[in-house]
Amino acid sequence: MSDQILRIAQHDRVRVLTLNRPEARNALSAALIRDLRAALAAADADDTVDVVILTGADPAFCAGLDLRELGGDGGNLDAVDDDVPAGHPWRPLSKPLIGAVGGAAITGGLELALACDFLIASERARFADTHARVGVLPGWGLTARLPAAVGPGFARRMSLSGNFVDAEQALRVGLVTEVVPHERLLPVALDVAAAVAGNDQPGVRTLLRSYRDAESHLLDPALSVEQATSRAWMADFRPSTVAERRAAVIDRGRTQNA
C-alpha cells in the first residue's frame, strides 16, 4: 500500500480497512482509490475473511475526492478501471461490507458510505453531498443509492442544498442503523461483524446476493442514468472551477451547524 494511506487489520474473521490520510480528512487521492480497490478485492478473495469494515482515521470518515488533485491540471482522479462496474466505487464484494462512520462523510465520501451494505455511526458523524457546491456530478451511484436510503425528497434536499446532516438526523431518516459514542464505534462495528461472521457463511452470502438482486431492477437503470448524465457534464467540465470553489466549500463545512 502507498505510504500506509490505507491501514489494514485483521480481527478474527473480520478485515478492517481504515482510510488513513487524516491531515486531508481522508480525502481520496488517486493512490488511495487504487489501494482501497485492491484491498477490498483481496479481502473478498481471502478465505480467512467473512466480513469487511470500512472506516476512516479521525477526525473524518472521508471528505470525498481530493480537490487539490481534482482541481489541478490532472483533473480526473477516477481513471477508468475495467474491473469496476459503472456506478460503483469498487468492484462489489460477495461478502458483507459494514461502514463505520466516525466523522464527516462528504460527497465522494458519502458515496463510499452508501456503497456499504449498512452503516454504523458515531455521535460525531456528519453527512453531506456537496457536488453542486463544487460543480461536479456524482459518478459512484449517489443519485440511485441516496434516495433508496433516505427517500427521494430528503435525498434531493441534501444534494441541492449541500447542507450537513448530523448523526441523529441520519438515524431518523434511515441513512445509518445505529449511533454510538465515538470511542465505541469500532468495538460496536466489530461486535456486529462478529455476529455476521458467526452465521452460516454460504447462507449469509446467498442472502446478501438476494437482497442485491432484488434491488437491481431499480438500482441498475438509475445507475445508467447517472453515468450518462455525468459523462455529458464532463464534456464541458473545467478543473479550474473546482479550484476556485474549493476554499468556500471547506470554510462552509467548518462553520455550518448541522
Side-chain angles (χ1 to χ4, degrees):
M1 298 300 167
S2 305
D3 299 323
Q4 293 300 305
I5 57 177
L6 181 71
R7 297 202 311 261
I8 302 174
Q10 187 81 11
H11 298 260
D12 295 324
R13 299 191 64 81
V14 180
R15 179 75 50 86
V16 178
L17 305 181
T18 304
L19 307 176
N20 190 38
R21 299 185 70 212
E23 73 290 346
R25 302 176 76 208
N26 303 320
L28 296 167
S29 64
L32 182 52
I33 293 171
R34 181 183 63 244
D35 286 359
L36 178 59
R37 287 173 171 173
L40 286 167
D44 205 35
D46 191 335
D47 289 339
T48 70
V49 177
D50 289 331
V51 184
V52 181
I53 294 173
L54 177 62
T55 191
D58 283 342
F61 176 73
C62 177
L65 294 178
D66 192 325
L67 297 182
R68 292 170 298 181
E69 291 193 28
L70 185 62
D73 294 335
N76 185 16
L77 280 173
D78 188 29
V80 173
D81 187 336
D82 292 337
D83 198 40
V84 178
H88 297 266
W90 48 69
R91 185 174 181 82
L93 279 64
S94 65
K95 301 171 183 179
L97 175 58
I98 300 171
V101 182
I106 304 171
T107 312
L110 177 57
E111 291 192 281
L112 296 195
L114 289 166
C116 296
D117 289 300
F118 60 87
L119 301 176
I120 298 169
S122 92
E123 59 202 351
R124 299 181 189 173
R126 298 199 304 160
F127 304 85
D129 177 21
T130 62
H131 281 100
R133 293 197 176 277
V134 180
V136 296
L137 289 191
W140 286 343
L142 183 139
T143 58
R145 296 188 182 93
L146 185 58
V150 305
F154 201 84
R156 291 171 186 171
R157 174 174 170 168
M158 287 184 68
S159 292
L160 300 181
S161 71
N163 288 342
F164 280 83
V165 171
D166 67 16
E168 290 300 331
Q169 190 172 22
L171 180 62
R172 288 196 298 272
V173 299
L175 183 56
V176 306
T177 62
E178 184 177 5
V179 177
V180 300
H182 186 70
E183 66 276 7
R184 290 286 299 153
L185 177 61
L186 188 57
V188 169
L190 285 168
D191 284 347
V192 174
V196 175
N199 291 331
D200 176 77
Q201 287 309 296
V204 166
R205 293 171 200 174
T206 302
L207 183 59
L208 181 60
R209 187 173 67 248
S210 180
Y211 267 108
R212 292 175 178 167
D213 288 348
E215 296 167 349
S216 64
H217 72 288
L218 294 174
L219 184 63
D220 290 351
L223 292 178
S224 296
V225 170
E226 180 180 276
Q227 189 73 7
T229 305
S230 181
R231 285 176 177 169
W233 176 265
M234 289 301 295
D236 296 319
F237 176 70
R238 294 185 301 114
S240 60
T241 302
V242 174
E244 291 165 3
R245 296 174 178 170
R246 178 173 61 231
V249 171
I250 293 173
D251 287 344
R252 180 180 176 86
R254 288 172 177 165
T255 60
Q256 183 197 327
N257 291 323

